[in-house]
Amino acid sequence: MRYSNSGLKESDVTPEALYHSRRRFLKQTIGGGAALSLSAYFPALAWASLPKSIISKFDGIEQTMAVDEKLNTFEEITSYNNFYELGTSKEDPKRNAGALKTDPWSVSIEGECSKPGTYTLEDILKPHSFEERIYRFRCVEAWSMVIPWVGFPLAELIKRFEPTGKAEYVAFETLYDKNNPLPGQRRRTIRWPYREGLRMDEAMHPLTFMATGLYGKSLPNQNGAPIRLVVPWKYGFKSIKSIVKIRFTRDQPETSWNTLAPDEYGFYSNVNPKVRHPRWSQARERRIGEFLKRETLMFNGYEQEVAHLYKDLDLRKYY
Ligand code: MTE
């Protein structure tokens, strides 16, 4: 066991403390011109879910977008999860995280585009520089968090594969090997694999993000390693985890929750305090870590940025 100068065990240093001290360190080095790699400075950081060549992308990440709200802790973000492949309770994903193997990993690009193929995770990530975005995250179950993601805009990835003029939607799938299912996939809670989809203009929107990390580290398995979608103005189930397939389609793709219960989970599923879930109100939410409920914001607070996407849509019908 190693001890730091302060006498604290390494395990006593929380990821947030590391994150904030790293930020301070970054400011100082930018000011002082020192050129130390962060991974060298903080060897304790975990990079398990990403290839070595990608790790350097975490050095000197710039924050490009941030809501001015208190961050949820690393502990909250990584121990209260929905990831049905790893079990249905909130604690299961962390408990069963070891069952998800992220190396090797590849992503299949299919459908209406001129560069289909199977790409290794390294091929997928290499051309992109990573940035940090602090987004609100609102689950359809009426809880929410504020999360510092690391990643890059989905639009940049999409452009590389040159979708054709016929591509109206983008469909995503999570891994599923029926001969070697993850613990939660042994039960047919949903029809595996988990599927999600976006309209092309939603996918190309600058807020739509591919996350590879959070709190300055690679994604923990329970949060959807090694690569997941984050669509901050939609209910959390649209933000599909551990993606292995991206398909450009002409027609609206089948999506897991919408197929299972179309009256409860619409294809769009934009956060909307005025449209009730049939079994509960969406007007308020419980921010994890807070006692009193808070008002839910239209489009989760991103109304200015995204309302134009839906100007021709009756949001009560297309929920
Ligand atoms: N992706 C997959 N593959 N499987 C899932 O069960 N759950 C969704 C979404 N993405 C889910 C998924 C739901 S309901 C939510 S609220 C978010 O992931 C939760 O993300 P988090 O655990 O990182 O907070």
Side-chain angles (χ1 to χ4, degrees):
M1 194 177 294
R2 294 197 289 141
Y3 290 85
S4 69
N5 293 340
S6 60
L8 284 171
K9 286 197 296 289
E10 268 182 12
S11 55
D12 291 336
V13 181
T14 65
E16 297 95 273
L18 207 57
Y19 171 85
H20 293 301
S21 64
R22 206 194 60 153
R23 286 221 154 277
R24 269 195 304 281
F25 165 75
L26 262 180
K27 275 196 196 122
Q28 280 159 13
T29 51
I30 288 165
L36 239 186
S37 128
L38 280 178
S39 42
Y41 200 75
F42 290 111
L45 293 187
W47 305 105
S49 65
L50 292 173
K52 283 202 179 72
S53 65
I54 303 303
I55 293 167
S56 59
K57 293 180 181 295
F58 281 78
D59 289 357
I61 304 166
E62 282 191 29
Q63 194 176 80
T64 54
M65 229 171 269
V67 293
D68 191 15
E69 291 177 36
K70 186 169 168 271
L71 296 181
N72 279 92
T73 65
F74 182 82
E75 181 63 19
E76 287 163 343
I77 296 168
T78 60
S79 57
Y80 186 88
N81 297 103
N82 278 333
F83 197 174
Y84 275 28
E85 287 85 340
L86 298 177
T88 48
S89 84
K90 295 287 183 280
E91 299 77 31
D92 284 342
K94 183 175 180 184
R95 191 184 307 130
N96 295 326
L100 173 64
K101 302 292 176 223
T102 58
D103 181 20
W105 194 271
S106 56
V107 181
S108 163
I109 307 288
E110 304 177 3
E112 292 290 347
C113 68
S114 57
K115 293 190 173 157
T118 301
Y119 296 85
T120 65
L121 182 63
E122 213 166 345
D123 290 338
I124 291 284
L125 299 180
K126 224 183 218 162
H128 300 281
S129 50
F130 291 173
E131 54 193 88
E132 180 178 75
R133 295 192 177 183
I134 300 178
Y135 281 161
R136 294 180 206 92
F137 188 86
R138 167 64 154 83
C139 178
V140 73
E141 298 163 341
W143 55 264
S144 64
M145 296 203 205
V146 175
I147 303 179
W149 300 106
V150 176
F152 56 94
L154 173 63
E156 287 178 12
L157 185 72
I158 288 181
K159 283 184 209 146
R160 284 171 54 200
F161 302 110
E162 300 172 4
T164 69
K166 291 175 187 151
E168 300 281 346
Y169 294 87
V170 191
F172 304 86
E173 285 184 17
T174 296
L175 89 162
Y176 174 49
D177 175 357
K178 61 177 181 308
N179 298 317
N180 188 20
L182 289 166
Q185 290 174 323
R186 294 197 192 104
R187 290 173 48 203
R188 277 178 67 98
T189 29
I190 60 170
R191 191 162 66 84
W192 308 110
Y194 193 102
R195 297 175 175 86
E196 258 311 329
L198 295 172
R199 226 169 51 188
M200 196 62 172
D201 57 349
E202 298 177 319
M204 295 300 289
H205 191 281
L207 285 177
T208 308
F209 203 56
M210 291 301 266
T212 50
L214 59 85
Y215 261 117
K217 309 187 356 172
S218 59
L219 279 178
N221 285 359
Q222 59 267 37
N223 292 88
I227 184 164
R228 72 173 292 175
L229 185 67
V230 180
V231 194
W233 72 93
K234 291 179 180 285
Y235 292 122
F237 69 86
K238 298 291 293 180
S239 292
I240 183 171
K241 297 176 167 183
S242 305
I243 294 169
V244 293
K245 192 183 284 186
I246 300 178
R247 194 171 66 255
F248 299 99
T249 66
R250 300 172 190 212
D251 301 320
Q252 184 176 305
E254 259 193 27
T255 57
S256 292
W257 288 103
N258 181 240
T259 306
L260 196 71
D263 298 342
E264 302 197 9
Y265 310 103
F267 174 80
Y268 284 95
S269 280
N270 295 316
V271 175
N272 188 339
K274 295 186 208 117
V275 175
R276 283 181 56 80
H277 182 280
R279 290 182 280 134
W280 60 84
S281 162
Q282 294 289 23
R284 282 143 57 83
E285 68 200 50
R286 184 169 67 91
R287 176 68 49 88
I288 299 300
E290 288 181 2
F291 180 67
L292 295 174
K293 286 196 174 175
R294 50 168 74 211
E295 305 274 306
T296 286
L297 305 172
M298 187 64 197
F299 293 111
N300 203 23
Y302 300 97
E303 185 168 12
Q304 263 198 334
E305 290 89 345
V306 301
H308 68 276
L309 296 174
Y310 310 104
K311 62 183 188 319
D312 300 325
L313 219 58
D314 175 353
L315 292 176
R316 289 192 174 271
K317 197 161 160 224
Y318 294 94
Y319 48 85

